Every structure is written in structure tokens, then in C-alpha cells.
Amino acid sequence: MIFNLHTVTIVHVVISLIGIGSGLVVMFGLLKGKLLERWTALFLASTVATSVTGFFFPFHGFTPAIAVGIISLFVLAAAILARYGRRLAGVWRWIYVICAMVAQYLNVFVLIVQLFQKVPMLKAMAPTQSEPPFLLTQLVVLALFVVLTVVAAIKFRIEPVTTRARTA
């Protein structure tokens, strides 16, 4: 095997952090009604890569992590179709916003899970991730993303007006 589990983990984490960081930039662009082309491409590509590399880890039956990966890939497929296949025309504009925001939420959701598993202070507060600190954190983040998604869908709903040059 060319890559060992440690290498796969490092690559997966780096790609995940790129996805989360670029996703934050894309999210703030959407909240301002702007489509940031390069950041969007980086976000979508790195988030797809994050989900795909998540399947490189040893398989021990169907887990919540696998479910999140599958859901993420479906959401990302819809976002990519809306953005590049349908070019944000009509209803595809808000479909893109919602799917991009859900993909970013799933990235952040997994980040929180990992933080509560790996950071000793957080793990002590919620060792089984069924304790109130973990549940409250996830609930607050979910509520925040719902509000941000609604605002982004409103701000990004109007297509920019383009002018065409007349030909004589």
C-alpha cells in the first residue's frame, strides 16, 4: 500500500480544512449576493475530495460518518449541477445556495464531532457526544446555518443584469 493510514488522515484533514475555509469565503460571498468563482470552485472541489477521501478509511460497517459522506456527495452533486450545469438559471440559483450551505454545514458538523473526539477538554465535557455541551453546540450551529442559509438565499436570489452589445 502506497499510503498508510496516517498519511491518508493528514491528507483528509488538510483537504477538509481547505473545504471549510473556502466554504466560509463562499458563504460570506453568498450573504453579500456575490458569486466568487474561484473560491466556489475550490470549495466544491475540496469538499467533494473531503467526502471521497473519507471513504479511504477502514470500513467497519455502516456508520454515521459514512452516512454524512454519502449525503454530502449527493448535496454537492446538486450544487455542482446547479452552478455549472444549469448556470444558476431560475430555480437553480436557490438550489445552489441551499446545497452549498448544506455542504458547508456538514463540513462544520464533522469538524465539531472531531473536535469533541480529539480535544481533551472538549472530550472531557462530552465523552460520548450525547452530553449537553456537544448537543447544544451542534444545535446552535444548526440554527445559525438555517438562518444564514435563508439570508443567503434571499440575498443571492436576484440574477445580475447583463447587457448585450448591439450588433449593427
Side-chain angles (χ1 to χ4, degrees):
M1 182 178 209
I2 296 172
F3 296 107
N4 60 29
L5 187 57
H6 179 72
T7 303
V8 170
T9 302
I10 290 172
V11 169
H12 177 73
V13 168
V14 168
I15 294 169
S16 298
L17 293 174
I18 291 168
I20 291 168
S22 59
L24 289 172
V25 174
V26 169
M27 181 176 69
F28 287 115
L30 293 174
L31 291 168
K32 291 185 172 195
K34 297 179 180 182
L35 179 66
L36 306 172
E37 293 289 346
R38 290 184 178 147
W39 284 105
T40 297
L42 178 62
F43 165 63
L44 293 172
S46 59
T47 303
V48 166
T50 295
S51 294
V52 170
T53 59
F55 294 108
F56 292 177
F57 292 96
F59 183 76
H60 301 292
F62 192 79
T63 64
I66 291 172
V68 170
I70 291 169
I71 292 166
S72 180
L73 287 171
F74 277 109
V75 168
L76 287 161
I80 291 166
L81 173 65
R83 172 62 199 96
Y84 299 106
R86 302 295 185 218
R87 303 198 189 285
L88 303 175
V91 71
W92 291 99
R93 196 167 188 81
W94 67 263
I95 289 172
Y96 165 72
V97 171
I98 291 170
C99 289
M101 294 293 282
V102 168
Q104 179 66 357
Y105 166 72
L106 292 173
N107 283 343
V108 172
F109 174 85
V110 171
L111 174 64
I112 292 168
V113 169
Q114 291 298 313
L115 289 172
F116 272 88
Q117 286 178 350
K118 309 289 189 236
V119 175
M121 184 178 77
L122 295 176
K123 186 171 178 107
M125 292 169 53
T128 67
Q129 295 188 349
S130 61
E131 294 80 8
F134 175 78
L135 299 174
L136 183 61
T137 301
Q138 291 290 21
L139 182 62
V140 168
V141 170
L142 175 62
L144 179 63
F145 265 89
V146 168
V147 170
L148 291 173
T149 300
V150 169
V151 172
I154 291 168
K155 295 276 188 170
F156 197 70
R157 76 173 190 268
I158 302 168
E159 293 186 49
V161 177
T162 57
T163 57
R164 293 183 187 196
R166 289 185 159 194
T167 56

